[in-house]
Amino acid sequence: MSADQMSIGEMLAATVPMARTLNLEFLETSPERAVLSLPDQAEYHNHVGGPHAGAMFTLGESASGAIVLAAFGDQLSRAVPLAVSAEISYRKLAMGAVTATATLGRPAAEVVAQLDAGERPEFPVAIALQRADGAVTGEMTVVWTLRPNS
């Protein structure tokens, strides 16, 4: 299967081993939002029986990567997306499966216009982590850049 035929979830699972290791499920990937799920897996639990903080971080960062690919996949021939920084806040105890919903913090057209102007744009992606009952268990921001190819 070529990269053109692969879904964003398949592409991330093929190129990012950690996403594959955690068995992340890609529920929705579009330029407007990405929704991923971390199934409840005992081997990734913490000391209180919920998903380990590291697994939740990887879920959120992967959701941010999915929306970046969906929004800027057409720019990959001239720029590489890179995470610049990340911040996460754990709000409530997460138990069971956890879902991450990522949204762009700037319009994609604005980011591409900066790239067109010869700049290296940075943009935030906001991620909400939720358990099955809808409670927000964590909030995360990943700042990304599109590094122009030399």
Side-chain angles (χ1 to χ4, degrees), residues 27-101:
L27 306 177
E28 178 185 338
T29 53
S30 74
E32 289 73 41
R33 73 184 210 150
V35 182
L36 276 65
S37 178
L38 172 66
D40 187 20
Q41 302 167 88
E43 60 270 30
Y44 302 115
H45 281 178
N46 58 21
H47 62 289
V48 294
H52 189 277
M56 289 177 49
F57 182 94
T58 300
L59 170 66
E61 194 275 342
S62 297
S64 76
I67 197 170
V68 167
L69 283 177
F72 304 108
D74 61 341
Q75 303 299 318
L76 294 179
S77 64
R78 66 182 187 140
V80 62
L82 297 169
V84 174
S85 64
E87 184 176 304
I88 191 166
S89 298
Y90 301 101
R91 303 286 183 210
K92 293 185 181 213
L93 184 61
M95 298 298 279
V98 177
T99 301
T101 302

Side-chain angles (χ1 to χ4, degrees), residues 12-13 16-26 58 62:
L12 277 172
V16 181
M18 192 60 153
R20 211 172 39 248
T21 298
L22 290 178
N23 302 306
L24 299 181
E25 298 170 0
F26 294 79
T58 300
S62 297

